[in-house]
Amino acid sequence: MKKNDVKRERFEHAILLYFICCKVCARIEEEGLEDKEALASLYNSQMRAALEQESTNLWKLDPKDLYDMYREEQETGGINLEKALNKAALVEDTFEDKLQRMDVDHDDCLYYRKEDEPRVNDEADYAILAIELYCNYRNLTGKAVMDLFYSNGMLEYLLVIADALLLVGLDFAMKQIDKLLEEKGVKFEKPGRPFH
């Protein structure tokens, strides 16, 4: 596989997780949680940890099914991963099929949602996108990025500024997040993986 194909695949995976997490987070917010709490709850869940593992193929499931897994976890303290894996195995979608079905426009990754679906506010959407891209850029789990952002006050910052930050370009935005974290004392052993 060519280097550019790998980068495109990484980017598409981050974008797919972004769209799925936006839908799940919207449902979490409907429970009355504020942006910061809803994002922290989502990214600290077992469901989200299982979702980011490509080998589980949980990305094939409908976001409502993933929200139901999240609710199950909140109510029981765990998820029935075997049941979810079996359900995902029955779905024939490829990555491309899922992106197309979710109306993802490759030229504008922020295009989203049909009229009747729950909506998160723009700040949370952009924060989710920044989190997913940063996971990919730094090769970290969603929980690790959430912990890093939360403990360094970056989550509040991203809820306010992520939209403007992402408009300047993905690689520049990721480097700016690195710079802000370094100013807070975070040290990185190696540079992030560029998207371009």
Side-chain angles (χ1 to χ4, degrees):
M1 187 177 282
K2 294 180 185 175
K3 189 175 182 179
N4 285 342
D5 291 341
V6 171
K7 286 182 180 182
R8 179 177 172 84
E9 188 175 299
R10 280 183 24 233
F11 176 76
E12 287 179 348
H13 186 254
I15 295 303
L16 182 58
L17 289 180
Y18 156 70
F19 283 106
I20 292 168
C21 288
C22 280
K23 287 188 171 198
V24 174
C25 193
R27 294 193 184 278
I28 295 170
E29 283 191 344
E30 287 177 346
E31 297 174 3
L33 293 178
E34 296 294 323
D35 290 343
K36 182 179 171 182
E37 289 77 24
L39 288 168
S41 183
L42 171 63
Y43 281 91
N44 284 303
S45 70
Q46 294 172 24
M47 180 281 296
R48 174 60 185 73
L51 174 64
E52 74 188 358
Q53 297 173 30
E54 285 183 62
S55 62
T56 66
N57 288 324
L58 292 183
W59 55 265
K60 290 182 175 186
L61 296 178
D62 187 273
K64 184 190 178 315
D65 294 327
L66 294 166
Y67 171 75
D68 291 342
M69 283 178 66
Y70 166 85
R71 282 294 342 126
E72 174 187 9
E73 179 181 345
Q74 299 306 303
E75 293 166 6
T76 67
I79 59 173
N80 186 339
L81 187 56
E82 185 177 341
K83 177 181 168 186
L85 293 174
N86 289 336
K87 189 170 186 174
L90 298 175
V91 180
E92 301 271 332
D93 277 354
T94 64
F95 229 42
E96 285 296 320
D97 293 339
K98 181 75 170 196
L99 288 170
Q100 288 176 354
R101 202 172 77 245
M102 293 187 80
D103 294 326
V104 176
D105 182 338
H106 290 283
D107 296 325
D108 180 11
C109 64
L110 298 178
Y111 170 77
Y112 189 44
R113 288 209 196 79
K114 298 180 176 99
E115 298 284 322
D116 59 339
E117 293 181 344
R119 300 184 70 84
V120 216
N121 67 39
D122 289 338
E123 291 84 13
D125 284 350
Y126 281 108
I128 290 170
L129 181 58
I131 291 165
E132 294 301 338
L133 292 172
Y134 200 76
C135 288
N136 191 295
Y137 175 73
R138 280 272 159 215
N139 197 26
L140 296 171
T141 66
K143 181 175 180 357
V145 169
M146 179 54 67
D147 290 347
L148 183 65
F149 286 2
Y150 203 90
S151 64
N152 286 287
M154 288 293 294
L155 193 53
E156 295 89 349
Y157 176 78
L158 283 175
L159 286 167
V160 173
I161 196 73
D163 58 342
L165 188 60
L166 291 168
L167 290 175
V168 297
L170 296 179
D171 289 327
F172 180 80
M174 298 300 104
K175 288 176 185 173
Q176 286 302 108
I177 292 172
D178 275 354
K179 183 179 174 184
L180 292 166
L181 287 167
E182 287 168 348
E183 289 172 3
K184 293 183 178 283
V186 176
K187 302 215 183 305
F188 298 105
E189 292 181 19
K190 56 186 177 180
R193 305 179 304 174
F195 288 99
H196 301 297

